[in-house]
């Protein structure tokens, strides 16, 4: 077996684990299977190229991994369900908040969306932008800044995915920048106290907020989750 075959086999095994976990959490998700386009996108993205070289052997395990700077690459199951909940169609404009290593960004780009992604840690945003460019994702743009403010220049967005937990409320700028018919997928931390490292025991819920054609907002809770906190109120920096 060549290394390429081995990597593809591991990726397919990871996808099978995601599918099993989706079936096991069907009561929360309201479905037994994800959109086949989401599964196909995850089967294409070379996740091993998004983790630090020392962790590559673990890249296809269905769990989050450290990527440095106190941050993580999200669990594959979580990337899969958040992408599914966002109901991305080809050609849609999508805002992602919390680029990290750029893995979720790549999955969104594989779905044919035009992706705008914001990362607050400059040491992660720069390498993620280079990685996505080198892998040929011309439809993904990354900038460094506070994503809680959205990205007004490219708004409105058909979908917004936030991969860090907002404390107590959904940032108002994100609801404002959602297009009519748009979906916002975001973990919200309802704990009385804001998260402090190492972020255990927070009461976080993954939410989907949708805006109808008349601009009315509907929201629903999906399932309990554990994300790093969304850092709000930092300086706005250039790309
Ligand atoms: N999407 C990533 C997950 C990264 S973890 C993946 O595919 O694995 C969440 C990221 O959110 C971290 O890199 C963190 O630095 C970033 N983050 C936290 N607060 C932020 C903010 N206000 N704006 C943009 N990024 C933020």
């Amino acid at each position: 077996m060549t290394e390429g075959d081995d990597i593809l086999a591991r990726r397919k095994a990871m996808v099978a684990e995601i599918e099993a976990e989706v079936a096991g959490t069907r009561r929360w998700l309201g479905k037994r299977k994800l959109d086949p386009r989401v599964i196909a996108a995850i089967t294409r993205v070379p996740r091993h190229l998004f983790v630090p070289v020392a962790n590559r052997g673990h890249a296809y395990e269905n769990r989050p991994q450290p990527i440095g700077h106190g941050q993580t690459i999200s669990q594959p199951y979580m990337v899969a369900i958040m992408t599914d909940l966002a109901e991305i169609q080809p050609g849609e404009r999508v805002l992602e908040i919390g680029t990290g290593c750029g893995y979720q960004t790549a999955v969104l780009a594989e779905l044919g969306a035009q992706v705008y992604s914001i990362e607050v840690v400059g040491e992660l945003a720069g390498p993620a932008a280079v990685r996505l460019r080198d892998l040929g994702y011309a439809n993904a743009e990354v900038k460094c800044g506070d994503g809680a403010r959205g990205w007004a220049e490219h708004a409105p967005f058909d979908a917004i995915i936030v991969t860090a937990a907002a404390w107590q409320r959904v940032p108002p700028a994100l609801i404002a920048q959602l297009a009519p018919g748009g979906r916002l997928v975001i973990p919200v931390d309802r704990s009385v106290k804001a998260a402090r490292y190492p972020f255990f025991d927070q009461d976080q819920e993954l939410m989907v907020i949708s805006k109808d054609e008349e601009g009315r907002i509907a929201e629903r809770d999906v399932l309990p989750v554990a994300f790093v906190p969304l850092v709000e109120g930092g300086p706005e920096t250039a790309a």
Side-chain angles (χ1 to χ4, degrees):
M1 212 186 222
T2 66
E3 193 197 38
D5 288 339
D6 179 47
I7 285 174
L8 188 59
R10 287 191 205 193
R11 195 143 71 231
K12 286 184 170 165
M14 177 188 83
V15 168
E17 279 188 48
I18 293 171
E19 289 178 313
E21 193 168 350
V22 166
T25 52
R26 62 189 177 279
R27 286 210 176 78
W28 283 276
L29 302 178
K31 53 158 79 178
R32 297 178 170 268
K33 286 184 190 295
L34 301 185
D35 183 338
R37 296 178 307 123
V38 172
I39 295 293
I42 287 177
T43 308
R44 284 194 297 270
V45 177
R47 184 171 163 94
H48 60 287
L49 301 181
F50 289 82
V51 302
V53 176
N55 295 2
R56 270 194 191 156
H58 301 288
Y60 292 104
E61 292 170 18
N62 184 24
R63 61 176 173 89
Q65 316 257 350
I67 57 168
H69 306 281
Q71 301 301 336
T72 53
I73 177 172
S74 297
Q75 184 194 12
Y77 161 80
M78 195 51 60
V79 173
I81 67 165
M82 290 177 80
T83 308
D84 187 86
L85 288 164
E87 298 178 19
I88 312 285
Q89 296 301 322
E92 285 193 336
R93 295 159 82 79
V94 179
L95 175 66
E96 181 199 14
I97 294 161
T99 320
C101 62
Y103 177 70
Q104 168 85 73
T105 325
V107 172
L108 295 168
E110 285 281 356
L111 286 164
Q114 174 60 48
V115 190
Y116 299 95
S117 186
I118 308 176
E119 169 56 53
V120 77
V121 177
E123 292 88 343
L124 293 172
V130 170
R131 181 178 297 120
L132 291 161
R133 189 199 61 204
D134 289 353
L135 288 170
Y137 293 111
N139 52 337
E141 193 179 324
V142 177
K143 79 162 179 175
C144 181
D146 175 9
R149 302 172 195 198
W151 195 336
E153 192 188 339
H154 297 297
F157 300 99
D158 301 298
I160 302 178
I161 291 190
V162 185
T163 65
W167 186 53
Q168 298 278 9
R169 54 117 187 71
V170 178
L174 302 184
I175 297 179
Q177 292 180 22
L178 200 58
R183 296 81 53 197
L184 164 57
V185 182
I186 181 169
V188 174
D189 186 344
R190 297 180 179 146
S191 314
V192 175
K193 290 192 178 156
R196 296 208 187 286
Y197 190 80
F199 316 134
F200 293 147
D201 297 329
Q202 295 298 115
D203 176 17
Q204 297 180 11
E205 192 77 21
L206 186 63
M207 296 184 71
V208 178
I209 287 118
S210 43
K211 193 183 263 189
D212 72 11
E213 297 299 332
E214 280 75 47
R216 286 182 298 241
I217 300 297
E219 53 178 64
R220 71 178 166 111
D221 287 1
V222 182
L223 81 175
V225 289
F227 278 85
V228 297
L230 183 72
V231 181
E232 296 190 52
E236 188 63 50
T237 41

